[in-house]
Amino acid sequence: QLHLQESGPGLVKPSETLSLTCTVSGGSIGTSSYYWGWIRQPPGKGLEWIGSVYYSGTTYYNPSLKSRVTISLDTSKNQFSLKLSSVTAADTAIYYCAKIVGAWGQGTLVTVSS
Amino acid sequence: EIVLTQSPDFQSVSPKETVTITCRASQRIGSSLHWYQQKPDQSPKLLIKYASQSISGVPPRFSGSGSGTDFTLTINSLEAEDAATYYCHQSSSFPNTFGQGTKLEIK
């Protein structure tokens, strides 16, 4: 059974870079033709797709975030990661990693505050 | 960008009734439409993939239909545990997008 787990700092200062890692167990991210993605949800609001990475490493980003987002794969660790630069309070949200289309991680709250 | 519009935004239904949630896409997306259930303080859970494909472990009272631009999630014989917010998601093209959500209350 596929399991995903997000990890990273829960508090990030404005203008700094948010960095999260998703560790996948129960399946290999580098050998199956799936997309792996990051989605976020501001408190009390809906879901926003941030971006996805194909098992080959090709990435796709939300145009609204594209200039600040980097998603990458580390197949040796069976992980994929998210970096979001120049964060502001508007980036405060629960961040989820997910197999597109499939299981999601439990999510991690990231607060942007000084 | 493909916009997904769900209706209704909120619905209050009694147990054992049937509810239908719709999702309309601004462009044709084939069958690349998926449904999720999110309960408070939980991550979204996949209910239906590719418009009508069932997911192992999801009760059969959940079903999906549609293609192109109009899709439906049907929940038969509602139970108290079905109280949640439901989202549709399209993976036909990038950027992927989600509907705004439908909050379902069980009376």
Side-chain angles (χ1 to χ4, degrees), chain B residues 38-99:
Chain B
Q38 186 178 34
K39 296 182 179 180
D41 298 321
Q42 295 185 18
S43 60
K45 171 188 172 184
L46 182 64
L47 292 178
I48 299 288
K49 64 180 181 181
Y50 296 102
S52 61
Q53 294 182 19
S54 58
I55 302 297
S56 176
V58 174
R61 63 178 182 276
F62 292 91
S63 63
S65 64
S67 66
T69 60
D70 293 302
F71 302 85
T72 299
L73 173 70
T74 301
I75 313 172
N76 291 305
S77 191
L78 275 164
E79 300 186 5
E81 66 181 26
D82 299 333
T85 300
Y86 293 83
Y87 294 93
C88 56
H89 159 226
Q90 69 81 19
S91 63
S92 174
S93 66
F94 294 107
N96 282 193
T97 47
F98 290 89

Side-chain angles (χ1 to χ4, degrees), chain A residues 10-93:
Chain A
L11 180 64
V12 182
K13 291 182 168 54
S15 80
E16 295 190 344
T17 296
L18 178 161
S19 295
L20 296 174
T21 297
C22 182
T23 301
V24 179
S25 57
S28 172
I29 65 171
T31 59
S32 302
S33 54
Y34 295 122
Y35 291 93
W36 306 90
W38 289 95
I39 301 100
R40 70 180 183 179
Q41 185 172 38
K45 296 190 177 180
L47 301 168
E48 179 183 31
W49 178 79
I50 299 170
S52 295
V53 57
Y54 196 44
Y55 82 108
S56 61
T58 304
T59 53
Y60 304 85
Y61 301 134
N62 191 321
S64 68
L65 300 170
K66 187 173 184 178
S67 63
R68 300 194 289 132
V69 173
T70 302
I71 295 174
S72 58
L73 281 177
D74 186 340
T75 56
S76 66
K77 296 181 180 179
N78 220 37
Q79 296 176 333
F80 60 102
S81 64
L82 168 70
K83 293 187 185 299
L84 181 66
S85 64
S86 304
V87 297
T88 69
D91 295 309
T92 293

